[in-house]
Amino acid sequence: MAENMNAQNRALHPTEGTTSSSSSSASEAVHLKRKIGLMNGVGIIIGSIIGSGIFVTPRGVLEGAGSVGVSILIWCLCGLISLIGAVCYAELGTTITRSGGDYAYILEAFGPCCAFLQLWVNLIIIRPTAQAIVALTFAYYSLQPVFPTCDPPDMAVRLLAALCISILTFVNAMSVRAATRIQDIFTAAKLLALLVIIAAGAVMMGMGETEHLATGMESTNKDVGQLSLALYSGLFAYAGWNFLNFVTEEMVDPFRNLPRAIYISIPIVTLVYVFANVAYFTVISPREMLLSNAVAVTFGDKLLGVMAWIIPVFVALSTFGGVNGLLFTSARLFFVGARQGHLPDFLAMISLKHYTPMPALLFTGGMSILMLISKDIYALINYVSFVQWLSVGASILGMVCLRFRHPEWERPIKFPLVIPVIFLVVVVFLLVMPLYASPRDTGMGVLITLSGIPVYVLGVVWKSKPRAFSNLIVSLTKLGQKLTYVTAEEHES
């Protein structure tokens, strides 16, 4: 057993016995560097939230709301809910300063088994599927100007999506600074796109085009189930408000910059979303919106004439930045899970040259490309939407529990208890409604999550694995290290 442990140590730290140049390059402690500043954090949050949602989901919100007035109120309400959740995560992120987001918080509050199940469902479904879907959206809208009268060929869309994921995986593996710069640039581009839509809407309002807005609350849906579906559609467009918590360890002065980035980002997104929807209704009637699969494209077709191709390009730019944000944060989630011993050690290693979690990035990029093969990829994401909100709710509940369990912990930010309680009430509502509206999809999501229990028992709990298996893992780890030139994380003493 001692020989096996020594072999594992040599595999985890391959720099011993290397040339002097290699030793000098590795003389500095190997760990993820703090390179994410305040504006990078703002870019990550806004860039992760604004994907294809605001360009597509207004139809779903209106369908559930029934009226223009209520649909705009729901966009405001979704922004408020996201802000409440985000300020709770500001407290979590400055109390538990590890990266990993929900995984790190559930681990601290409810133990390794619950945390592993959250990690498991993200590993096999949520993260790779989300990345693949956003990449497919990018590819579809990138090719739309080339195929203006028909849908782009499915194979071309999938190949372009795979290329998008591959390029961004490479950039993220090579440089944290380059990845955050891409995020900043494309966040600015998508905000510019929405500002163009808002400005066009303001011009139309100045010309007296307020007929559809004037309908106000007419035809408001009285069915609570339908209104809840409208809320779900709106919250889908706000998804990503907690993504900065996945990279806390790489933030410069996270105690100040994490909450500041949240306070800046969420109000900006909310204002942009609300004004964009007002702009849509200056040109598009409620009936036309309900018939449109891509509201922003319909807006461009009606208003921009020969320049309508700009809107698909804007959507493509928006989703490209969304893929980058997902890859960046997903890799950190898997890195932290591996560092905790819940995934293979190889995924917890860092590039000696670039100081990035290269194995975790290659893994999440590869899984996303594999998801592109599936024809039922959208069904998969429906199965786990329930689990995503369950994960968020567990994190906030854990925050409340930890306040009573560990009152002595330093909490640089501490909000009144009523704020997390309000958010938990909203989460309970969002969890109960799918059980009523789509019990099959919810049941599948729960089964996928519970399938991680035997994996946890065999992979984590069972310590006395056969020597041959352990030696195989060590050999594969060594091979992976040689191919990618990575080592285990070290910290300066």
Side-chain angles (χ1 to χ4, degrees):
M1 176 63 82
E3 292 176 357
N4 188 38
M5 289 299 294
N6 289 334
Q8 288 185 355
N9 287 335
R10 286 194 298 272
L12 295 179
H13 300 280
T15 56
E16 297 175 11
T18 57
T19 64
S20 59
S21 62
S22 297
S23 298
S24 63
S25 67
S27 60
E28 186 181 357
V30 180
H31 58 88
L32 299 179
K33 307 299 182 183
R34 293 191 180 274
K35 295 184 177 180
I36 301 174
L38 174 60
M39 294 315 297
N40 298 135
V42 171
I44 288 172
I45 296 176
I46 295 178
S48 298
I49 294 176
I50 303 177
S52 60
I54 186 58
F55 301 104
V56 178
T57 53
R59 169 188 172 179
V61 174
L62 178 63
E63 193 170 18
S67 68
V68 172
V70 172
S71 68
I72 292 174
L73 287 176
I74 285 175
W75 282 103
C76 296
L77 179 60
C78 289
L80 179 60
I81 291 171
S82 299
L83 181 60
I84 293 172
V87 297
C88 292
Y89 271 68
E91 178 176 331
L92 279 166
T94 52
T95 304
I96 303 168
T97 56
R98 295 192 301 274
S99 294
D102 296 334
Y103 169 78
Y105 309 144
I106 293 172
L107 177 67
E108 194 68 53
F110 302 113
C113 183
C114 292
F116 179 85
L117 294 179
Q118 194 273 345
L119 179 67
W120 170 253
V121 75
N122 272 277
L123 180 81
I124 64 170
I125 299 292
I126 293 178
R127 288 304 181 126
T129 301
Q131 286 153 191
I133 287 175
V134 178
L136 285 170
T137 307
F138 159 77
Y140 180 88
Y141 283 101
S142 296
L143 292 171
Q144 194 174 57
V146 183
F147 298 92
T149 59
C150 63
D151 288 336
D154 182 67
M155 184 56 68
V157 171
R158 291 178 186 271
L159 287 174
L160 185 55
L163 181 63
C164 166
I165 293 170
S166 300
I167 291 172
L168 288 174
T169 299
F170 175 79
V171 171
N172 275 268
M174 291 298 103
S175 170
V176 171
R177 195 169 298 281
T180 55
R181 191 165 294 149
I182 284 177
Q183 194 69 10
D184 293 343
I185 292 170
F186 281 88
T187 296
K190 61 182 70 179
L191 284 175
L192 176 62
L194 289 167
L195 289 175
V196 167
I197 291 173
I198 292 169
V203 170
M204 297 305 293
M205 288 181 68
M207 296 170 61
E209 295 293 337
T210 58
E211 175 188 352
H212 309 311
L213 291 169
T215 59
M217 303 296 180
E218 290 179 15
S219 305
T220 296
N221 207 325
K222 302 297 193 298
D223 185 346
V224 176
Q226 289 297 316
L227 289 171
S228 68
L229 291 176
L231 191 66
Y232 252 102
S233 294
L235 288 171
F236 170 78
Y238 281 92
W241 49 262
N242 58 340
F243 276 18
L244 190 59
N245 290 65
F246 287 90
V247 297
T248 309
E249 292 175 28
E250 294 173 78
M251 290 197 71
V252 177
D253 194 3
F255 296 105
R256 295 178 63 192
N257 288 335
L258 175 64
R260 284 181 177 182
I262 288 170
Y263 303 152
I264 293 170
S265 303
I266 307 300
I268 287 176
V269 172
T270 303
L271 288 173
V272 168
Y273 275 12
V274 171
F275 287 135
N277 277 276
V278 171
Y280 288 149
F281 283 116
T282 62
V283 176
I284 305 172
S285 70
R287 183 176 179 278
E288 288 172 324
M289 184 174 286
L290 293 174
L291 295 174
S292 173
N293 290 321
V295 175
V297 174
T298 303
F299 179 88
D301 290 340
K302 290 178 70 69
L303 190 62
L304 301 178
V306 295
M307 298 298 291
W309 58 269
I310 290 177
I311 299 298
V313 170
F314 280 161
V315 178
L317 292 173
S318 180
T319 48
F320 189 83
V323 176
N324 186 68
L326 283 166
L327 286 170
F328 190 89
T329 55
S330 297
R332 273 63 182 179
L333 171 61
F334 301 146
F335 171 85
V336 172
R339 188 174 62 185
Q340 192 64 36
H342 287 173
L343 293 175
D345 290 330
F346 181 59
L347 295 182
M349 294 190 179
I350 297 172
S351 168
L352 283 163
K353 185 176 181 181
H354 306 291
Y355 297 102
T356 60
M358 186 180 290
L361 280 162
L362 295 175
F363 174 79
T364 188
M367 284 289 290
S368 302
I369 291 173
L370 284 176
M371 281 293 178
L372 295 174
I373 300 172
S374 173
K375 297 293 184 182
D376 297 324
I377 189 169
Y378 290 93
L380 290 174
I381 204 71
N382 289 338
Y383 292 157
V384 292
S385 59
F386 172 86
V387 180
Q388 286 179 292
W389 279 107
L390 183 62
S391 176
V392 170
S395 297
I396 304 298
L397 179 61
M399 183 188 82
V400 175
C401 293
L402 289 170
R403 280 195 185 185
F404 294 100
R405 196 186 307 165
H406 294 287
E408 76 282 3
W409 282 5
E410 182 182 356
R411 290 175 170 84
I413 297 174
K414 186 175 181 180
F415 292 97
L417 193 61
V418 67
I419 290 181
V421 169
I422 289 172
F423 189 76
L424 284 172
V425 170
V426 173
V427 171
V428 169
F429 173 78
L430 293 172
L431 291 175
V432 170
M433 286 309 300
L435 291 172
Y436 167 75
S438 54
R440 180 181 176 276
D441 286 353
T442 303
M444 287 296 296
V446 172
L447 286 176
I448 290 170
T449 305
L450 295 179
S451 70
I453 293 178
V455 180
Y456 175 73
V457 172
L458 293 174
V460 180
V461 177
W462 184 28
K463 301 296 184 182
S464 57
K465 297 180 178 67
R467 179 183 290 271
F469 178 80
S470 298
N471 289 339
L472 174 63
I473 295 299
V474 170
S475 298
L476 291 175
T477 302
K478 283 183 177 180
L479 177 62
Q481 289 181 271
K482 290 176 181 177
L483 291 174
T484 55
Y485 195 53
V486 296
T487 189
E489 185 181 32
E490 301 170 353
H491 286 285
E492 296 172 343
S493 58

